[in-house]
C-alpha cells in the first residue's frame, strides 16, 4: 500500500509542503473535508495554547512537571481524526491534540499533570482510550492485546498505539511489533520521532536510517511520513486503518517531527541542542503550515486566526481553573482503589493513617 | 575539604574513583553529554571521554545486561537507572544474572558493578517517580543494597561500592539530593558496606531509619530529646547485608525500638529488622518493637502525596507510644 514510500529507499510521505502547498498527488489519498480540516486546525490551536499555558503555569509554581507537545500536534490530531471514535487509542504521553479530538476535556488532561489520579479516569465507553503511560514503551504490548480482543469479539475496531523515538529502543516495543506481526494484528504503531529522547539524539537510539523500516523485519509495512504535515498524517493513518480493518495486518507509521519545547518543564534543552536547529524546525511548524494552506484556499481569513487563538487561550485558562478547583485527592481514595474490596490489613493501615493525621473519629 | 550536596558527592565519588581506576565506565540514559537528568555525571564525559562515560539507547534491560558482560570481561561498570521506577525492565537481568553469577559459576565469574538509581517521594513528581521499593531488591539473594543519607556517606559508600567485589545496588534519596551541604574530603575514602551509623547515642529509645526519611527521623529524635527522652538515632545505610550487630546492641541498651521507612509496610525492611530483634533480643524488650512505614498502597500523585509521606510529627507521635508503653 505504501510501496511508493518505502523507507528503505529513503522515501518520506508528504502531501503538504512547508509553504502550505498541497501536492498534486494529494487528491489520490484520503482527505479530510473542509469542515474536518477546520476542526483539526482549531484543535491544533487549542493544543498549542493549552501547552503554552501549562508551561507558563509551571513557571509560576501552579503546575508540576509538564511535558510540552509543541511542534508535534499534527501527529496525534491527524491520526486520531483518521480513526473512528471507537477505535482504541493507546497513549504514550505527548498526544494532547489527539485527546482533544476524541473529546476528552482539557481540564482532565490538566488534572492528571496537576497530580490527581482522576485525570486518568477516562470515560472508556466514550473515548476508547488507555491512560498515559510513563514507563516508556510499556504500553505497546497492551495495544496488541486490545487488538486481539476486538478481533476475538468479532469487532472491526482497530487500535493505534503511540510511542516516541526513544521508546523504540525498549524491549516492549520490539516484542509488541513481533507479536503484532505474528498475529497479523489490526494495529497501527505510531512513532512520534521528535528527534530526541530527553537529551539523546535519534541517531543514538538506532543505527538504522529510519525507524519505519524496522517493521519489515517483523513482517509488515512501515512508512515514514512528514509528521508536521496534517494531510500526510491523516492519509497514512486512514490507509493503515482501512488495511487493519480488513485484517490485512499492522502498519508502523513513523511521524518525522520535532519537539519545539523542552522535554518537560524540568529540562533545559539548550544543554544539548542549538538554537539554530530549533529555528530551522520552526519553519516546519505544523500549525503555520496548515494555516498557510487554509488562508491560501480561503477556508479562513487571516484576521480570524487571532480571534481563534484568543478563544483557545480562554478555553485553556478556564480548563485549568476547573482542574485547579477540583478537590485534591483524598486520603480515603488513595487506599480505596487499591482493590475492589479493601482487605482488612489495608483497612487497618488506613485507620492508623487517619489517626496519624489527627482525623480520629 | 569541600562543601557538597548528596548529588555533588555522587559526582565527586565517580570522578575521584575514575581517576584512580581506569576500568570504571559509567553509562545510562542522558548520562553523557547532558551529565544526567539530576547532574550526577556532569563533567565526567569532558574529563574521561566518550568511551568511559556515555549515553545509551532507552533500554534498562540492556543497560544492566551489557554491564554484566563488561564486568565479566574485567571492566567495572557503574550504570545509572534514571529513576528507580524504570529499573523494572532490567529486573530480569538483576535477579537472574547480576545476583546469581558468582554463585552459579562457583566464583569463576564475578560481577563487580554498581547500579545507581534515585528513589523516594516527596518531590511532587509524576507517576512512577516516587516509589521506595528497596525491599524488593533487598529480598534478592546475592545483591547488596546501599542507601546513603548524607553527602559524606554518599561519597564513602559509593567508592566502597565501586571497590566491592560483588554487585551493589546504590539507591540515592532524591528528595535529599540538594537538601543540604556537608564537608566532604577531596580525596578518596570508603565507608564499609554493611555498617550502620550511630547518628546520636541515647538510652531510652532506638530510632532507626535510612535514606530520605532520615531527615524527619533525626528531627523527631531531637524533638523527643528536648522532651527529655534519650534517643539513640541510627542510620542503617546498608539495607542488605544490614548491620545486625549495631542494631541489636542498641536495642539491648534501650529496650525500645521504632523503625521508620517510607516504603510499603508489608514484607518491608522494618519487618525484617523487627523480626530479628524480637527473636534475638526478646528478653531486653520493654515495649513491642514498632514500625512506622508507608502503607501498602500505590504512591499517590502530587495532590495526595501528603497523605502518604511520613512527617516529623508522625514519628514523634508513634515514638511517644513506644516510650510510654508499660507492660
Ligand atoms: C522505561 C523508562 N525509562 C526511562 C524513563 C525516563 N524518561 C522519560 S521520557 C524519556 C525519553 C523518552 O523519549 P521518547 O520515547 O523519544 O519520547 P519523547 O519524550 O521524545 O516524546 C525518558 C528517558 C521512562 N519514563 N521510562
Amino acid at each position: 500500500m505504501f510501496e511508493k514510500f518505502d523507507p528503505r529507499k529513503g522515501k518520506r510521505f508528504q502531501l503538504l509542503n512547508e509553504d502550505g502547498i498541497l501536492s498534486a498527488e494529494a487528491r489520490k489519498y484520503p482527505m479530510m473535508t473542509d469542515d474536518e480540516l477546520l476542526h483539526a486546525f482549531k484543535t491544533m490551536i487549542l493544543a498549542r495554547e493549552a501547552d503554552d499555558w501549562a508551561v507558563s503555569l509551571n513557571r509560576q509554581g501552579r503546575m508540576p512537571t509538564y511535558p510540552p507537545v509543541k511542534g508535534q500536534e499534527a501527529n496525534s490530531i491527524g491520526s486520531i481524526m483518521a480513526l473512528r471514535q471507537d477505535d482504541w487509542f493507546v497513549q504514550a504521553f505527548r498526544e494532547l491534540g489527539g485527546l482533544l479530538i476524541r473529546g476528552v476535556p482539557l481540564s482532565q488532561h490538566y488534572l492528571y499533570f496537576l497530580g490527581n489520579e482522576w485525570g486518568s479516569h477516562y470515560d472508556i465507553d466514550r473515548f476508547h482510550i488507555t491512560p498515559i503511560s510513563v514507563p516508556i514503551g510499556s504500553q505497546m504490548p497492551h495495544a496488541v492485546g486490545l487488538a486481539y480482543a476486538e478481533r476475538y469479539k468479532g469487532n472491526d475496531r482497530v487500535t493505534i498505539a503511540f510511542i516516541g523515538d526513544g521508546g523504540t529502543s525498549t524491549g516492549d516495543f520490539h516484542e509488541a511489533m513481533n507479536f503484532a506481526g505474528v498475529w497479523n494484528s489490526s494495529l497501527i504503531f505510531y512513532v512520534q520521532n521528535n528527534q530526541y529522547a530527553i537529551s539523546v539524539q535519534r541517531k543514538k537510539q538506532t543505527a538504522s536510517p529510519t525507524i519505519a523500516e524496522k517493521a519489515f523485519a517483523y513482517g509488515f509495512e512501515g512508512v515514514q511520513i512528514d509528521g508536521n504535515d496534517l494531510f500526510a498524517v491523516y492519509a497514512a493513518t486512514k490507509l493503515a486503518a482501512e488495511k487493519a480493518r480488513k485484517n490485512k495486518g499492522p502498519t508502523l507509521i513513523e511521524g518525522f517531527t520535532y519537539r519545539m519545547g523542552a522535554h518537560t518543564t524540568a529540562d533545559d534543552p539548550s544543554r544539548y541542542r542549538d538554537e539554530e536547529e530549533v529555528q530551522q524546525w520552526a519553519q516546519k511548524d505544523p500549525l503555520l503550515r496548515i494555516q498557510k494552506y487554509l488562508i491560501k484556499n480561503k477556508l479562513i481569513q487571516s484576521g480570524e486566526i487571532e480571534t481563534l487563538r484568543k478563544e483557545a487561550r480562554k478555553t485553556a485558562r478556564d480548563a485549568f481553573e476547573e482542574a485547579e478547583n477540583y478537590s485534591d485527592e483524598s486520603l480515603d481514595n488513595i487506599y480505596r482503589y487499591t482493590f475492589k474490596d479493601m482487605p482488612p490489613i489495608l483497612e487497618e493501615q488506613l485507620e492508623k493513617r487517619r489517626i496519624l493525621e489527627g482525623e480520629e473519629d | 575539604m569541600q562543601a557538597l550536596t548528596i548529588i555533588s558527592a555522587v559526582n565527586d565519588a565517580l570522578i575521584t574513583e575514575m581517576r584512580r581506576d581506569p576500568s570504571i565506565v559509567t553509562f545510562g540514559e542522558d548520562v553523557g553529554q547532558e551529565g544526567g537528568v539530576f547532574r550526577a555525571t556532569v563533567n565526567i564525559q569532558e574529563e574521561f571521554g566518550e568511551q568511559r562515560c556515555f549515553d545509551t539507547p532507552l533500554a534498562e534491560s540492556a543497560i544492566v545486561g551489557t554491564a554484566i558482560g563488561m564486568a565479566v570481561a574485567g571492566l567495572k561498570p557503574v550504570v545509572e537507572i534514571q529513576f528507580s521506577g524504570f529499573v523494572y525492565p532490567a529486573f530480569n537481568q538483576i535477579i537472574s544474572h547480576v545476583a546469581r553469577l558468582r554463585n552459579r559459576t562457583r566464583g569463576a565469574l564475578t560481577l563487580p558493578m554498581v547500579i545507581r538509581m534515585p528513589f523516594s517521594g516527596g518531590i511532587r513528581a509524576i507517576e512512577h517517580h516516587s516509589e521506595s521499593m528497596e525491599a524488593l531488591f533487598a529480598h534478592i539473594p546475592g545483591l547488596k543494597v546501599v542507601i546513603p543519607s548524607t553527602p559524606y556517606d554518599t561519597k564513602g559508600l559509593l567508592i566502597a561500592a565501586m571497590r566491592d567485589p560483588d554487585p551493589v545496588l546504590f539507591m540515592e534519596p532524591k528528595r535529599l539530593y540538594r537538601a543540604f551541604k556537608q564537608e566532604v574530603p577531596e580525596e578518596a575514602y570508603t565507608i564499609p558496606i554493611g555498617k550502620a551509623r550511630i547518628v546520636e547515642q541515647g538510652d531510652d529509645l532506638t530510632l532507626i531509619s535510612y535514606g530520605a526519611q532520615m531527615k524527619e527521623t533525626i528531627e523527631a529524635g531531637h524533638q523527643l530529646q528536648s522532651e527529655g527522652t534519650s534517643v539513640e538515632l541510627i542510620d542503617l545505610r546498608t539495607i542488605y547485608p544490614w548491620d545486625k550487630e549495631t542494631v541489636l546492641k542498641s536495642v539491648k541498651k534501650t529496650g525500645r525500638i521504632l523503625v521508620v521507612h517510607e516504603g510499603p509496610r508489608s514484607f518491608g525492611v522494618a519487618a525484617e529488622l523487627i523480626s530479628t530483634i524480637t527473636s534475638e533480643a526478646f528478653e531486653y524488650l520493654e515495649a513491642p518493637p514498632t514500625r512506622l512505614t508507608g502503607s501498602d498502597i500505590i504512591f499517590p500523585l502530587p495532590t495526595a502525596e501528603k497523605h502518604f509521606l511520613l512527617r516529623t510529627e508522625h514519628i514523634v507521635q508513634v515514638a511517644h507510644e513506644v516510650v510510654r508503653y508499660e507492660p
Side-chain angles (χ1 to χ4, degrees):
Chain A
M1 182 181 56
F2 295 108
E3 295 84 7
K4 276 177 66 185
F5 300 96
D6 189 334
R8 295 166 298 183
K9 296 185 181 136
K11 295 283 172 27
R12 185 182 301 157
F13 181 53
Q14 188 197 58
L15 295 174
L16 187 70
N17 74 13
E18 288 162 32
D19 301 320
I21 295 168
L22 203 57
S23 93
E25 294 274 282
R27 309 267 156 204
K28 293 190 200 152
Y29 291 94
M31 272 177 73
M32 286 179 256
T33 63
D34 288 348
D35 281 349
E36 284 170 337
L37 198 54
L38 280 170
H39 176 55
F41 176 62
K42 287 178 189 166
T43 306
M44 208 184 288
I45 291 180
L46 177 56
R48 181 70 58 97
E49 292 298 330
D51 219 45
D52 285 349
W53 187 225
V55 171
S56 69
L57 288 167
N58 173 270
R59 294 202 189 100
Q60 297 171 30
R62 283 166 72 191
M63 174 62 110
T65 308
Y66 177 86
V69 188
K70 190 172 184 169
Q72 299 180 218
E73 297 94 337
N75 293 279
S76 67
I77 291 178
S79 55
I80 297 303
M81 288 283 295
L83 297 175
R84 290 195 331 223
Q85 180 74 15
D86 68 341
D87 289 333
W88 280 106
F89 172 3
V90 176
Q91 308 184 67
F93 61 94
R94 249 187 254 280
E95 288 80 34
L96 169 59
L99 294 180
L100 296 173
I101 294 291
R102 274 286 153 107
V104 173
L106 177 57
S107 57
Q108 181 166 0
H109 188 67
Y110 278 151
L111 191 61
Y112 176 78
F113 284 106
L114 273 170
N116 190 316
E117 284 78 358
W118 291 102
S120 292
H121 183 79
Y122 296 107
D123 182 343
I124 300 295
D125 294 335
R126 217 172 122 206
F127 302 130
H128 310 288
I129 196 168
T130 56
I132 278 177
S133 181
V134 174
I136 302 294
S138 57
Q139 70 279 14
M140 303 317 268
H142 311 167
V144 186
L146 287 163
Y148 184 94
E150 291 307 334
R151 184 176 296 164
Y152 178 88
K153 293 190 288 183
N155 297 332
D156 69 346
R157 293 165 66 180
V158 307
T159 300
I160 189 166
F162 288 88
I163 190 168
D165 45 305
T168 66
S169 297
T170 63
D172 276 339
F173 171 74
H174 291 275
E175 292 175 27
M177 293 268 284
N178 189 46
F179 267 52
V182 172
W183 291 355
N184 195 40
S185 304
S186 296
L187 188 65
I188 301 158
F189 293 96
Y190 198 109
V191 180
Q192 293 204 59
N193 172 9
N194 65 7
Q195 314 302 329
Y196 288 91
I198 311 186
S199 73
V200 181
Q201 292 171 23
R202 207 298 277 153
K203 65 170 193 267
K204 286 191 182 172
Q205 293 295 342
T206 173
S208 70
T210 69
I211 291 167
E213 69 196 80
K214 292 175 190 290
F216 295 93
Y218 293 106
F220 55 93
E221 266 182 316
V223 61
Q224 191 187 61
I225 67 172
D226 181 342
N228 288 9
D229 167 357
L230 192 63
F231 283 83
V233 175
Y234 179 87
T237 311
K238 195 87 182 169
L239 291 172
E242 280 165 11
K243 181 173 94 175
R245 243 183 269 289
K246 289 185 212 137
N247 288 339
K248 295 209 170 131
T251 308
L252 170 64
I253 299 175
E254 175 188 357
F256 199 77
T257 185
Y258 195 73
R259 158 165 67 70
M260 289 166 74
H263 168 71
T264 66
T265 45
D267 170 49
D268 172 10
S270 70
R271 286 207 284 251
Y272 53 82
R273 68 185 191 190
D274 297 334
E275 189 49 33
E276 206 179 305
E277 178 187 290
V278 181
Q279 286 314 320
Q280 270 171 15
W281 275 94
Q283 313 296 316
K284 304 180 190 183
D285 184 336
L287 184 57
L288 286 182
R289 195 183 302 192
I290 199 76
Q291 191 171 302
K292 283 180 195 159
Y293 172 85
L294 292 171
I295 292 171
K296 264 195 200 97
N297 291 280
K298 307 209 168 12
L299 289 166
I300 202 161
Q301 288 168 357
S302 52
E304 288 173 66
I305 288 165
E306 194 42 44
T307 316
L308 286 175
R309 207 171 286 145
K310 269 196 199 127
E311 281 170 15
R313 224 167 283 162
K314 180 162 181 347
T315 307
R317 278 165 168 70
D318 291 348
F320 186 80
E321 236 171 74
E322 192 186 329
E324 211 175 30
N325 290 335
Y326 202 90
S327 54
D328 283 355
E329 187 51 332
S330 67
L331 172 61
D332 277 25
N333 279 353
I334 67 175
Y335 287 74
R336 174 155 305 138
Y337 288 93
T338 311
F339 298 103
K340 180 171 178 294
D341 301 311
M342 204 187 304
I345 192 170
L346 198 50
E347 195 88 61
E348 196 182 299
Q349 291 180 19
L350 171 57
E351 199 45 50
K352 281 209 168 119
R353 182 75 200 191
R354 283 202 190 106
I355 293 167
L356 271 189
E357 295 192 4
E359 269 193 32
E360 256 169 301
D361 46 10
Chain B
M1 290 291 231
Q2 42 180 349
L4 299 182
T5 58
I6 286 181
I7 191 68
S8 47
V10 169
N11 183 249
D12 189 54
L14 288 166
I15 291 175
T16 310
E17 197 61 2
M18 284 176 81
R19 283 182 187 151
R20 202 189 64 88
D21 181 353
S23 70
I24 297 176
V25 291
T26 188
F27 55 97
E29 294 154 13
D30 306 282
V31 162
Q33 182 193 3
E34 163 98 344
V37 294
F38 287 104
R39 326 297 292 140
T41 53
V42 73
N43 297 331
I44 295 187
Q45 194 177 70
E46 276 96 319
E47 179 170 343
F48 299 97
E50 277 190 51
Q51 285 207 309
R52 294 189 66 192
C53 176
F54 50 92
D55 295 330
T56 64
L58 200 167
E60 287 76 9
S61 179
I63 291 171
V64 174
T66 54
I68 292 172
M70 291 179 198
V72 165
L75 296 186
K76 199 172 284 183
V78 181
V79 302
E80 175 176 298
I81 299 295
Q82 199 163 81
F83 288 89
S84 64
F86 306 129
V87 71
Y88 306 109
F91 208 74
N92 181 33
Q93 293 291 345
I94 292 173
I95 198 164
S96 306
H97 296 295
V98 172
R100 297 172 66 100
L101 203 62
R102 173 186 291 278
N103 177 69
R104 61 190 282 259
T105 64
R106 289 294 180 264
L109 298 176
T110 59
L111 290 179
M113 60 183 275
V114 180
I115 302 172
R116 296 181 35 244
M117 53 191 199
F119 83 111
S120 81
I123 60 161
R124 285 166 58 74
I126 56 176
E127 263 182 301
H128 309 281
H129 288 70
S130 300
E131 286 72 10
S132 295
M133 290 291 160
E134 61 277 10
L136 279 184
F137 298 97
H139 196 68
I140 300 174
L143 208 58
K144 293 180 181 174
V145 181
V146 172
I147 301 181
S149 76
T150 67
Y152 181 85
D153 283 355
T154 298
K155 180 167 178 180
L157 284 166
L158 185 51
I159 291 179
M162 289 188 271
R163 293 183 188 177
D164 201 277
D166 285 305
V168 178
L169 200 72
F170 197 80
M171 299 180 70
E172 300 164 6
K174 65 176 175 295
R175 182 161 85 235
L176 300 185
Y177 262 165
R178 295 186 166 78
F180 63 100
K181 286 187 175 173
Q182 191 182 27
E183 290 296 324
V184 173
E186 281 171 36
E187 59 279 6
Y189 61 93
T190 58
I191 289 172
I193 289 173
K195 279 267 165 263
R197 177 170 63 99
I198 299 181
V199 181
E200 276 165 38
Q201 301 203 335
D203 300 315
D204 304 335
L205 171 72
T206 300
L207 192 51
I208 303 183
S209 191
Y210 53 86
Q213 199 67 66
M214 216 45 228
K215 180 172 176 288
E216 293 79 11
T217 304
I218 291 173
E219 283 168 10
H222 289 167
Q223 195 172 319
L224 291 159
Q225 271 152 359
S226 71
E227 295 167 4
T229 307
S230 170
V231 180
E232 182 134 301
L233 274 164
I234 295 179
D235 178 352
L236 201 58
R237 297 200 296 201
T238 296
I239 308 302
Y240 195 91
W242 65 278
D243 187 355
K244 198 170 122 177
E245 193 189 333
T246 299
V247 171
L248 283 180
K249 201 167 148 211
S250 178
V251 177
K252 286 178 183 171
K253 178 170 64 168
T254 63
R256 293 171 198 262
I257 181 157
L258 174 60
V259 186
V260 184
H261 62 64
E262 192 172 310
R265 183 179 191 82
S266 294
F267 307 96
V269 174
E272 179 59 36
L273 264 60
I274 287 173
S275 162
T276 305
I277 290 163
T278 309
S279 53
E280 298 188 31
F282 187 70
E283 62 274 30
Y284 297 87
L285 293 173
E286 291 163 34
T290 303
R291 56 186 159 154
L292 176 60
T293 68
S295 293
D296 300 343
I297 59 173
I298 309 296
F299 196 97
L301 294 184
T303 62
E305 73 179 6
K306 58 180 178 287
H307 294 307
F308 188 97
L309 296 170
L310 301 171
R311 294 196 294 272
T312 305
E313 64 262 31
H314 299 155
I315 302 172
V316 171
Q317 205 175 314
V318 177
H320 281 157
E321 290 168 26
V322 180
V323 172
R324 290 170 192 163
Y325 180 87
E326 281 177 43

